Structures are given as C-alpha cells and as structure tokens.
Amino acid sequence: MGKALYHMDRVSFRSDTVLSDVHLLLPNTCHLMSCLNGVGQPVFVSKFRILRGGNGGDCAADLGSLGEEGENGDTAINPQTPLDEDGDLDVVRRPRDPIKDRVGVYPVILSQAEVASDQDEEDEEKQQEVIRIEHTMATPLEDVGKQVWRGAFLLADFILSQPTMFKGATVLELGAGTGLTSIVMATVAKMVYCTDIGEDLLNMCQRNVALNKHLTEPTGGDIKVRQLDWMADDLCTDSESDFSWTEEDVAELHDKTSFLLAADVCYDDDLTDAFFRTVYRITSHLCKPSTVYLSIEKRLNFTLRHMDVSCEAYDHFRHCLAELQGMADGKMKYTIKQLENFFPQFLQYERVDQLELWKITSSPLQTSAEEV
C-alpha cells in the first residue's frame, strides 16, 4: 500500500494515496500539524469559519460588509451588499488558476511553544463562529474518513440554511468521519448521534466534538460519538467499548430520531450496499417517519475497462437509490428526490457541479395508506 511522506516543508505522495480537495486548496498556513495519531499518521488542525452572510464561495470576501445580526439573532444583509434580481447575494468569485492552486500542500508544523502562544487566538475564535477540525491528509482509501470532504460542507450548508427544520430534533449521522457535519447539526438540533467505525477515527471525532463546544453548548445541542458498523446486524452494546450504545441511547434513537445524515459515503460498491441496508434497517425500526439527507460528489474516472471516463461508484449509488424507492416489502415506503443546490454557502469551499444533495423520505406503509 502506498503512503504519503510528511516532511517539514511539504507532503509528497505515492501511488494509492487520496487527498481531499478541501485540504489541497486550503492556504498553506491553514495546515497545522499537531501530533501523530494512534496508527502513526500525522494529525493536522484546520479552521473553517462560518460566514453567516452566506457567501462562502467567495474566498476573498470582506466579512465586515456582509451584514449585521438583528435583534432576533438573524443576519440582516447590509443595504450596500450587491443583490441579484431575485434578491440573493450577487457573489463575484475570484478567478482561479487550477494549475497554480494545486501545485502542492505545505503543512506547518506546530511546536508546543507555538500552541501555547496561540491561546489568545483560540479564545478570540471562540467568540466567532470558527470550526476547528483535527484530520489527516493523503490517506489510503480505507482511511478517507479521517479527511474533510466537500460533501460534508454541502450538507453543513444545507443545515445552516434550514435551522428551523432541524431545531430541537434528534439526528443520526452515518459515516460521520471527522464529525464536521454533526458539529454543525448540533448548533440547531437537540441531540446528534455521530457514528462511524474504527477506534482511532472515533477518538479523533470525539476530540473534534470537544474542540467545538463553543459552538454547540450555547444552543444546548449535544453530540454522542458512537460506533455503528454497516456490516453488522446490530448496534454495538459492549460495555467494554468506549463508543458503545447504552440502553438509553438505543431507546432514544428508536423513539425520537427524525433525521439521518450521510456526507459523501458512497465511493465503494460494497460499502454503498451496506449503507443502504443500514438505512433500511434503522428507518424501519424508528417510531416515527424519518428523512435522510445524503450528499455525494460525482467523481469522474478514466477506466481501462471502458477506455472512457465513467462514474461507476456514482452509477451504483443511483442504482441503490432506485432499488430503495422500488422496494415492496409490505412495511416501508421510500420516496427519493434530488434537491437543488441553490441554498446559501456558509463555508469556504468550491461548490462544484458534481456535488449533489438527495432527500430520502421513509414512512411505514400503513401510514402512507391512511394519508391516501
């Protein structure tokens, strides 16, 4: 297996390493290497500012000109802010040179002294809406959950654009990775179950939850990091595991959950099959109808088998969606809808056309019959 090599001034790559565009396009000073994780991988800390004006697509935006917070906590747009004919922010994006911007990634190595000297900066950030995320970079495919991906940002944008919908809700995230989407959800929801597998990844996720309490505690949102293996038939209730489910957790999950989330988790056919089986198993045991919001990035790859560009992982994802909607088990009804990506952008990333957001609505079949 190929691995990334981390030097003091740059990251180099071998054959099978994968690097998220989120990390590739961040300014070099944003890559702060803090330690090694339990399996010897370098751990970085990146900062992502929530832009309440909703213009995260413009990396050169002047934050002070976006607007002021009104008496009810909503953001009021400055009258001088340019608007289009529909009343939306008219964002002028900085021209990007893809070759120049993707030359290399240069992590900054933090010393203990630098960490201590940054305490004042951290205190200032806590007064603002800055998400701090521990993650790795340039991992093998099996460790991609330790990176931050654009699909997580797209789903986070959607959550921030619909705070009323999720207010006070109990939410389950599948394949949470670094936990960024769960953290954003906890700023509006009451309880978020942030799930994945792998002790090292779950420990990283737990640290990210602690790093961002300044965002979740003021709203009363709670996050519980739990193990959820899509290949297993049941939830892990082993008391010896740090991330096992208690009886109270399981009862709350089944009685109160109304939303499920998943950000860019369908990149391998076997995992995609397991994901949809898990969605069915969980939603069919919930006490109330539920909605799944799922982001995915349609990745184009040239394959020797087809001698052409194809999207095999995406095609399999669409096949599984169609199977779920066409399911006739006599118990559940699923409706599938692709949502438009026209909601505001609160985080700085490249919202490419290949990013998609899907909505899956599930309900017991007898409930649907009564409504008809």
Side-chain angles (χ1 to χ4, degrees), residues 147-372:
Q147 300 187 53
V148 180
W149 299 87
R150 286 187 291 213
F153 282 153
L154 181 70
L155 200 49
D157 277 343
F158 179 73
I159 294 165
L160 292 169
S161 69
Q162 302 286 339
T164 303
M165 179 193 303
F166 300 109
K167 184 176 178 60
T170 297
V171 182
L172 169 68
E173 182 176 9
L174 300 171
T178 61
L180 185 145
T181 305
S182 286
I183 291 166
V184 171
M185 175 58 83
T187 64
V188 291
K190 181 179 180 180
M191 172 60 70
V192 181
Y193 286 98
C194 176
T195 70
D196 215 307
I197 59 170
E199 184 176 351
D200 193 63
L201 176 57
L202 292 172
N203 280 320
M204 175 184 285
C205 191
Q206 186 70 69
R207 289 194 298 272
N208 285 332
V209 170
L211 280 173
N212 292 280
K213 285 186 176 180
H214 63 285
L215 295 175
T216 59
E217 285 185 343
T219 63
D222 192 13
I223 304 176
K224 292 184 178 180
V225 179
R226 295 291 182 263
Q227 177 177 319
L228 201 161
D229 187 349
W230 303 345
M231 300 295 185
D233 294 329
D234 299 307
L235 299 175
C236 174
T237 56
D238 181 1
S239 60
E240 295 185 1
S241 171
D242 292 336
F243 302 101
S244 64
W245 295 74
T246 66
E247 292 182 3
E248 292 78 12
D249 292 339
V250 176
E252 182 176 41
L253 176 72
H254 290 157
D255 295 342
K256 298 182 179 180
T257 300
S258 51
F259 295 102
L260 283 73
L261 305 174
D264 208 359
V265 298
C266 297
Y267 52 87
D268 173 87
D269 288 358
D270 292 336
L271 284 178
T272 299
D273 291 339
F275 168 76
F276 277 96
R277 288 195 302 268
T278 300
V279 167
Y280 172 78
R281 185 175 72 250
I282 291 176
T283 56
S284 62
H285 285 87
L286 299 181
C287 293
K288 60 174 72 174
S290 58
T291 303
V292 183
Y293 288 104
L294 172 64
S295 66
I296 187 170
E297 183 168 346
K298 183 178 181 180
R299 294 181 172 88
L300 306 175
N301 298 292
F302 181 85
T303 63
L304 293 176
R305 182 173 63 177
H306 297 101
M307 293 302 293
D308 198 0
V309 173
S310 63
C311 307
E312 293 185 343
Y314 176 81
D315 292 341
H316 188 71
F317 161 76
R318 293 296 301 268
H319 171 74
C320 290
L321 276 179
E323 281 195 335
L324 186 66
Q325 180 160 287
M327 180 179 293
D329 66 343
K331 297 179 180 180
M332 300 294 296
K333 176 183 177 181
Y334 294 92
T335 56
I336 314 292
K337 179 181 180 181
Q338 182 179 357
L339 304 181
E340 299 288 350
N341 294 349
F342 294 153
F343 43 89
Q345 186 167 339
F346 295 89
L347 295 160
Q348 291 184 357
Y349 66 103
E350 188 178 5
R351 190 184 284 184
V352 296
D353 293 339
Q354 289 75 28
L355 281 172
E356 297 180 358
L357 183 64
W358 289 83
K359 176 182 178 181
I360 304 173
T361 305
S362 69
S363 58
L365 196 58
Q366 60 269 23
T367 301
S368 300
E370 290 171 5
E371 291 176 353
V372 175

